[in-house]
Amino acid sequence: MLRLTFLGTASSRPTVSRNVPALALKREGRTFLLDCGEGTQRQMMRYGVGFSLGDIFITHLHSDHYLGLAGLLRTMSLQGREEPLRIWAPRGAGEALRTLRDLGGDRLAFEAPVRELDAGEAVEGDGYRLVAFATDHTRASIGYALIEDPRPGRFDVEAALALGVPEGPLFGRLHRGESVELDDGRRIRPADLVGPPRPGRKLIYTGDTRPSPGTVEIARQADLLVHEATFSEDEARRARETGHSTAAGAARVAAEADVRRLVLTHVSARYAERPGRLIEEARAIFPRTELARDGWSVEVRFVDAESGGQAS
């Protein structure tokens, strides 16, 4: 399972229906948090995300993207957390985040090291990596790309049985790429029964950014691009001046990168209650566009699954 839950979809300040940025990403039982705006811990409780995080990834040091960190860490500590929690951020952001982490003078009940990343560096996990990439904002900022390892090809069960391979452990060994020997002395190779490797999934989260070639490159043929869309096209000049994107600009990135799906977030308060203009502008360029709302979850499925990702 690869599921995103949008905890905050507003830009700069909260509105009645939208909190400031935070996105929970759950993969195979492991949960990550991307950005942590003010009040994120309450959004996590409200939408059933839970606090069993292993890593928090901050895109940049504008207050709407990280001020919730102090409250979230205190909440976890008061609940008795003991497991370490890693905090990742762009190069140069470490000092400010350590100050925020230690705010209030209460010692946390767990370790929470802050580590800095340069664009191109990756945090490695079991079967995936989270890659930092450069974005184009008004201060040092990075986005994050979750890129899964390729999966083994499909295993042909019928062909295996026809060759006399008994069901059980030998199936697993062949699928893992090992040759096996049968009781009659025949040697069966994986290439006889296993198809070519299949791609893993790729998910892109931009944080705040103008449309940029770097985003297009990292997002190429991604399963899902989560791109900020602070303004409509009639505010394109203001978007450029403030280091943000319009909905149409995000759609052009998605089209050029040939992604499977685009989700817009980071909506200005002026559109928060009536975001129709944003989605219309984006879909005119890239029809496979959706607009996130607080509490909305979306599952990212494998490209070779029977159907595409489903939202709930």
Side-chain angles (χ1 to χ4, degrees), residues 61 89-97 116-118 139-140:
L61 290 189
R91 182 70 57 190
E95 182 178 355
L97 291 179
E116 298 179 349
L117 291 169
D118 290 313
R139 66 179 309 164

Side-chain angles (χ1 to χ4, degrees), residues 268-291:
S268 169
R270 70 191 70 187
Y271 316 105
E273 308 308 321
R274 295 183 178 180
R277 175 188 290 185
L278 300 182
I279 196 71
E280 289 172 5
E281 288 183 357
R283 284 181 176 168
I285 298 166
F286 190 79
R288 299 186 302 278
T289 301
E290 292 157 280
L291 182 69

Side-chain angles (χ1 to χ4, degrees), residues 94-117:
E95 182 178 355
L97 291 179
R98 292 184 191 99
T99 298
L100 185 65
R101 176 196 62 191
D102 300 335
L103 192 66
D106 298 326
R107 182 176 177 83
L108 296 177
F110 56 93
E111 295 296 319
V114 177
R115 301 177 182 179
E116 298 179 349
L117 291 169

Side-chain angles (χ1 to χ4, degrees), residues 5 22 44 65 72 95 138 223 274:
T5 300
M44 294 171 74
H65 289 258
L72 176 58
E95 182 178 355
T138 55
D223 297 279
R274 295 183 178 180

Side-chain angles (χ1 to χ4, degrees), residues 205-239:
Y205 173 68
T206 65
D208 289 4
T209 184
R210 303 176 181 94
S212 73
T215 301
V216 171
E217 187 58 35
I218 192 73
R220 200 165 299 283
Q221 295 188 323
D223 297 279
L224 178 62
L225 169 62
V226 180
H227 199 292
E228 73 118 292
T230 308
F231 297 107
S232 64
E233 197 66 6
D234 61 356
E235 294 279 0
R237 180 176 178 178
R238 177 166 172 77

Side-chain angles (χ1 to χ4, degrees), residues 5 23-24 49 71 73 104 119 125 130 151 162 173 240 246 264 274 282:
T5 300
L23 175 63
V49 169
L73 295 177
L130 262 156
R151 297 171 292 145
R173 288 176 58 188
R240 289 192 298 272
T246 64
L264 306 177
R274 295 183 178 180

